[in-house]
Amino acid sequence: MDSGLIALGAAVVGVTGTLLATVVSQRMLARVQAAQFDREQRDAHTRWLRDQELTELSRRRDCYTAANAAYRRYRIALMNFLWAVHRAQATPADRAVVEEARGGHHAAFAEAQMIASADVLAELDRMTKIIAGAHARTMRLAEGIPEPDGSFEEIHAELLTITQRWVGMRGAMRSDLGLVASADGAPNAADCLPPAAPATGPPGLPREG
């Protein structure tokens, strides 16, 4: 009888050990799988965040490129028109070039307001106010009713300050994109000179075909 109980006990212990081993093995496997799943989820989230950052960076880069080009085109068109007014050679076509560039500037600024960083937007705001004031005074000068501070020399000087502020705006854009700001702080000498008079027709931006 005692040997039978011992055998039965041994069998029970053996079966119990086998069952416990199976349960422990399954739990360990479940933990390993859960840990692996968590790592995969973290890796996937990290990749998603990185993709979002790259997408946002690309959006800002495209926005800044468009804004930089639009502001530059507007400034050059306005400067050319100012010289045409000064030479008494301004035409409706010259004014149309300015207004087209102005519209492009407004569109680029509106997009930047939704995308640009606070530092870049502050620079764009300052640039916009300066160039808007120069535009208003230039048009009044063209109409023969200049404002008290709206002489050719004063407007020209104001437009040159835009050239100088360009360094700060460009630096803010490059910094926001993680690029090294340019050390070149000198305004373009060509912006300080009157546009070359063409053989025929008034000075201004080249006509697009």
Side-chain angles (χ1 to χ4, degrees):
M1 185 65 178
D2 290 340
S3 61
L5 289 175
I6 293 173
L8 179 60
V12 170
V13 171
V15 171
T16 302
T18 301
L19 293 175
L20 287 176
T22 302
V23 171
V24 171
S25 177
Q26 289 176 343
R27 287 185 176 180
M28 291 181 63
L29 179 61
R31 289 178 181 176
V32 170
Q33 290 176 336
Q36 182 178 358
F37 178 77
D38 287 342
R39 285 195 299 271
E40 291 175 351
Q41 288 292 95
R42 288 195 298 269
D43 290 344
H45 185 63
T46 299
R47 288 194 299 271
W48 180 82
L49 289 177
R50 180 57 178 166
D51 289 343
Q52 291 295 106
E53 290 175 358
L54 291 175
T55 299
E56 179 61 22
L57 183 65
S58 179
R59 289 179 68 233
R60 293 204 311 275
R61 182 175 60 247
D62 292 344
C63 173
Y64 294 168
T65 299
N68 189 63
Y71 275 63
R72 185 175 187 277
R73 183 186 181 200
Y74 184 20
R75 176 177 55 86
I76 291 175
L78 190 57
M79 180 71 83
N80 286 351
F81 183 73
L82 176 64
W83 276 103
V85 171
H86 182 59
R87 293 166 171 163
Q89 296 176 344
T91 68
D94 294 324
R95 184 187 290 263
V97 170
V98 174
E99 294 309 310
E100 180 184 358
R102 183 171 177 242
H105 159 266
H106 288 346
F109 182 55
E111 181 181 7
Q113 286 178 311
M114 300 295 103
I115 297 176
S117 68
D119 289 343
V120 173
L121 190 56
E123 290 290 339
L124 293 176
D125 277 336
R126 284 190 283 268
M127 290 279 288
T128 296
K129 289 176 182 177
I130 294 173
I131 201 167
H135 174 271
R137 283 185 280 278
T138 299
M139 293 307 162
R140 288 182 64 85
L141 181 65
E143 294 166 1
I145 47 174
E147 296 180 1
D149 59 347
S151 68
F152 165 80
E153 292 76 13
E154 289 169 312
I155 300 171
H156 184 265
E158 189 170 28
L159 288 174
L160 290 183
T161 66
I162 296 177
T163 303
Q164 296 161 1
R165 288 210 62 87
W166 215 265
V167 177
M169 185 186 79
R170 187 177 61 234
M173 289 178 174
R174 291 177 61 84
S175 177
D176 188 50
L177 295 175
L179 303 173
V180 178
S182 172
D184 180 12
N188 187 342
D191 293 326
C192 307
L193 302 175
T200 58
L205 291 175
R207 298 292 188 267
E208 297 180 358

